[in-house]
């Protein structure tokens, strides 16, 4: 049985990491929290699940699972989280990655232990719970590094080294790029096309290796015909979800990049799509090497696992995305020819029921216990308000575009 974590839910659970970047414009940003140690080095086990980084922390004698999200400037928790008694700090106006603005509460977490390091007075914003069951309790943002830490993340070995010694990783090999802080999160330059550079957010909360801002893409395409040769398709749709809602429908461009350059390292044959949010390098970079973040020197270094100067990616495009519209699951993006499209689903369709069971919210849909190999009958309302039935089988490989599970909805 699959509960849609790796197949259908992989396709449906949409860029939660994109939402974490909402913290990048918190008006009350500060790094007044405190570390318990100085001149230390510690190695901490990490868990990688659905291309997200998780650590266990101890708080009030209990263990909690936290997500490491470099695209979030500060911490985040969700309403109803059981983290003990936190302190209310007031409210701020926050803008999420999809452009939505709202007022959110800010709290101070109880002291917690990350490995041997105690962190006290850590600040986080409180957002509406995105789904009934979450596999983590809170977000740790990039303020951990802005406070004065260096970190090496090795997903293959399953550990993270943290230290406050600014020169600890200086002698290690790799391809380093200096970043600048914008809204307190790291932006650096990569090259998606020859003689072109793109400013990207280094965002471990985003699962994709690379996504490109649509306006940035248009600017590159205007300057060079070489860009057109790397377009595989276009569609109208939306796939990114912030903490406060989904992005608006716009043109989405599907690309197959000949190479994506990180300093002198090349990721070859990279499929990427455009989004209305910032361009991003996401956590999937950890499939190919370790990443070191130096918060003192403002530098991020990629060290390939095999020591080569390039790697073949050959990933697949996403083929369908579901987004919340008025609280309901809606087809945000669908590629013509995929299994769901052939079954009758179209962009803008809203899911009302599955096998006769009413779906009353987006969370209901995400938590529906889909099983591979079973056929489901969905009651759907199209953009014109007409109801229709759609029947299709959930298979281990529902379409050729999903063969690597490479999908912004994981």
């Amino acid at each position: 049985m699959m509960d849609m974590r790796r197949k259908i839910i992989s396709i449906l659970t949409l860029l939660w990491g994109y939402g974490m970047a909402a913290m990048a414009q918190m008006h009350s940003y500060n790094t007044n929290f405190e570390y318990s140690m100085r001149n230390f080095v510690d190695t901490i086990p990490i868990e990688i699940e659905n291309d997200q980084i998780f650590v266990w922390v101890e708080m009030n004698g209990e263990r909690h699972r936290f997500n490491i999200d470099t695209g979030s400037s500060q911490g985040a928790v969700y309403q109803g989280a059981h983290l003990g008694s936190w302190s209310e700090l007031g409210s701020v106006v926050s803008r999420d990655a999809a452009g939505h603005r709202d007022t959110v509460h800010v709290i101070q977490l109880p002291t917690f232990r990350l490995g041997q390091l105690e962190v006290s007075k850590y600040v986080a914003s409180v957002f509406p719970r995105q789904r009934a069951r979450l596999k983590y309790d809170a977000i740790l943002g990039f303020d951990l590094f802005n406070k004065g830490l260096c970190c090496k993340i090795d997903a293959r070995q399953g550990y993270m080294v943290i230290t406050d010694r600014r020169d600890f990783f200086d002698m290690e090999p790799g391809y380093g790029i200096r970043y600048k802080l914008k809204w307190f999160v790291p932006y650096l330059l990569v090259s998606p096309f020859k003689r072109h550079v793109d400013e990207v957010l280094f965002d471990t909360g985003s699962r994709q290796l690379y996504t490109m801002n649509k306006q940035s893409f248009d600017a590159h395409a205007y300057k060079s015909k070489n860009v057109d040769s790397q377009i595989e398709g276009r569609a109208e749709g939306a796939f990114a979800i912030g903490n406060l809602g989904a992005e608006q429908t716009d043109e989405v461009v599907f690309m197959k990049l000949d190479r994506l350059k990180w300093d002198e390292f090349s990721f070859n044959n990279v499929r990427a799509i455009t989004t209305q949010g910032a361009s991003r390098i996401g956590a999937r970079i950890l499939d190919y090497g370790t990443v070191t973040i130096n918060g003192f020197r403002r530098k991020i270094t990629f060290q390939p696992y095999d020591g080569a100067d390039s790697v073949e990616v050959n990933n697949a495009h996403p083929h369908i995305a579901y987004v919340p519209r008025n609280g309901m699951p809606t087809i945000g993006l669908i590629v013509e020819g995929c299994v769901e499209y052939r079954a009758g689903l179209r962009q803008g369709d809203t899911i009302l029921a599955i096998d006769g069971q009413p779906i009353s919210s987006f969370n209901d849909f995400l938590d529906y216990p889909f099983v591979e190999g079973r056929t489901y009958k969905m009651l759907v309302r199209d953009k014109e308000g007409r109801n229709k039935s759609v029947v299709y089988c959930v298979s281990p490989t529902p379409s050729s575009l999903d063969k690597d599970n490479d999908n912004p909805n994981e």
Side-chain angles (χ1 to χ4, degrees):
M1 178 180 292
M2 291 191 66
D3 59 359
M4 301 173 69
R5 299 305 190 272
R6 296 301 301 169
K7 288 293 176 185
I8 296 301
I9 270 260
S10 302
I11 297 172
L12 310 181
T13 52
L14 301 169
L15 284 186
W16 297 131
Y18 273 69
M20 298 310 105
M23 302 305 301
Q25 293 201 13
M26 280 187 60
H27 294 286
S28 62
Y29 180 86
N30 68 71
T31 54
N32 292 336
F33 55 93
E34 299 175 356
Y35 292 146
S36 63
M37 297 192 295
R38 296 290 183 269
N39 193 31
F40 75 95
V41 180
D42 194 13
T43 300
I44 302 169
I46 62 173
E47 297 175 353
I48 305 295
E49 185 174 343
N50 289 338
D51 298 302
Q52 290 285 274
I53 307 165
F54 299 98
V55 295
W56 288 93
V57 306
E58 184 178 316
M59 179 186 294
N60 294 326
E62 297 182 351
R63 296 179 76 229
H64 296 276
R65 199 182 194 211
F66 283 14
N67 176 238
I68 303 290
D69 182 0
T70 61
S72 176
S73 66
Q74 290 183 291
V77 299
Y78 296 100
Q79 292 171 357
H82 301 290
L83 295 174
S85 58
W86 57 50
S87 303
E88 296 282 347
L89 298 180
S91 300
V92 295
V93 175
S94 179
R95 189 188 76 176
D96 73 5
H100 303 287
R101 289 179 180 271
D102 202 354
T103 299
V104 298
H105 292 291
V106 181
I107 55 108
Q108 180 177 290
L109 289 177
T111 297
F112 60 88
R113 183 181 294 276
L114 176 63
Q116 297 301 311
L117 182 68
E118 280 194 352
V119 182
S120 56
K121 303 178 182 178
Y122 189 72
V123 173
S125 287
V126 182
F127 288 96
R129 181 171 289 273
Q130 296 164 330
R131 55 183 309 183
R133 297 188 296 273
L134 284 173
K135 288 193 172 183
Y136 57 91
D137 300 308
I139 302 293
L140 295 176
F142 200 72
D143 50 351
L144 286 177
F145 308 104
N146 288 339
K147 176 72 174 180
L149 280 186
C150 299
C151 170
K152 180 177 181 178
I153 303 171
D154 189 325
R156 180 172 289 183
Q157 298 299 321
Y159 68 80
M160 177 174 71
V161 179
I162 59 172
T163 178
D164 63 346
R165 301 176 189 174
R166 68 181 64 206
D167 58 350
F168 187 78
F169 298 110
D170 282 359
M171 301 307 294
E172 292 198 359
Y175 300 87
I177 303 178
R178 294 192 180 277
Y179 63 82
K180 64 179 180 179
L181 293 175
K182 294 177 64 176
W183 305 294
F184 312 107
V185 287
Y187 281 79
L188 45 80
L189 297 178
V190 299
S191 174
F193 310 110
K194 292 180 180 178
R195 297 180 295 277
H196 291 250
V197 294
D198 190 26
E199 184 180 63
V200 300
L201 170 62
F202 183 78
D203 182 6
T204 59
S206 173
R207 292 167 171 82
Q208 299 303 287
L209 175 61
Y210 176 62
T211 50
M212 180 181 285
N213 170 263
K214 180 56 165 57
Q215 290 182 328
S216 177
F217 169 82
D218 290 339
H220 291 305
Y222 178 78
K223 295 177 182 177
S224 175
K225 293 182 179 180
N226 176 257
V227 174
D228 288 338
S229 67
Q230 298 180 64
I231 298 175
E232 291 193 323
R234 298 172 184 264
E236 289 293 314
F239 66 90
I241 300 178
N243 275 319
L244 304 172
E247 67 181 355
Q248 296 302 308
T249 300
D250 198 0
E251 182 182 57
V252 176
V253 181
F254 296 79
M255 299 167 285
K256 184 179 181 181
L257 306 178
D258 295 336
R259 91 292 183 275
L260 174 69
K261 294 279 282 187
W262 172 289
D263 190 41
E264 295 302 314
F265 186 87
S266 293
F267 296 93
N268 297 327
N269 296 313
V270 176
R271 285 185 171 87
I273 60 178
T274 60
T275 178
Q276 297 170 50
S279 297
R280 283 173 168 81
I281 293 289
R284 193 152 285 182
I285 191 173
L286 295 168
D287 289 352
Y288 307 102
T290 66
V291 167
T292 301
I293 302 170
N294 191 316
F296 297 98
R297 309 199 193 287
R298 295 192 178 182
K299 186 176 183 180
I300 299 176
T301 301
F302 171 75
Q303 183 179 343
Y305 291 126
D306 60 6
D309 60 4
S310 65
V311 67
E312 290 292 320
V313 177
N314 287 319
N315 56 326
H317 278 309
H319 68 277
I320 189 167
Y322 294 77
V323 299
R325 299 290 190 205
N326 299 317
M328 293 293 290
T330 303
I331 309 295
L333 178 68
I334 189 167
V335 175
E336 187 173 346
C338 71
V339 169
E340 294 86 350
Y341 187 93
R342 295 197 303 270
L345 289 178
R346 295 294 184 266
Q347 197 276 330
D349 286 351
T350 298
I351 312 302
L352 303 178
I354 303 173
D355 283 350
Q357 177 178 326
I359 300 297
S360 60
S361 70
F362 188 62
N363 283 343
D364 282 354
F365 187 57
L366 294 183
D367 289 328
Y368 192 86
F370 285 87
V371 178
E372 284 186 354
R374 280 190 55 184
T375 296
Y376 293 89
K377 182 178 181 180
M378 294 186 179
L379 176 63
V380 176
R381 179 170 297 155
D382 66 20
K383 289 190 291 188
E384 285 71 39
R386 298 169 299 198
N387 289 355
K388 61 183 178 182
S389 293
V390 175
V391 178
Y392 70 93
C393 178
V394 177
S395 66
T397 52
S399 86
S400 61
L401 294 177
D402 192 42
K403 62 180 180 181
D404 294 321
N405 201 33
D406 190 350
N407 181 318
N409 305 314
E410 299 170 357

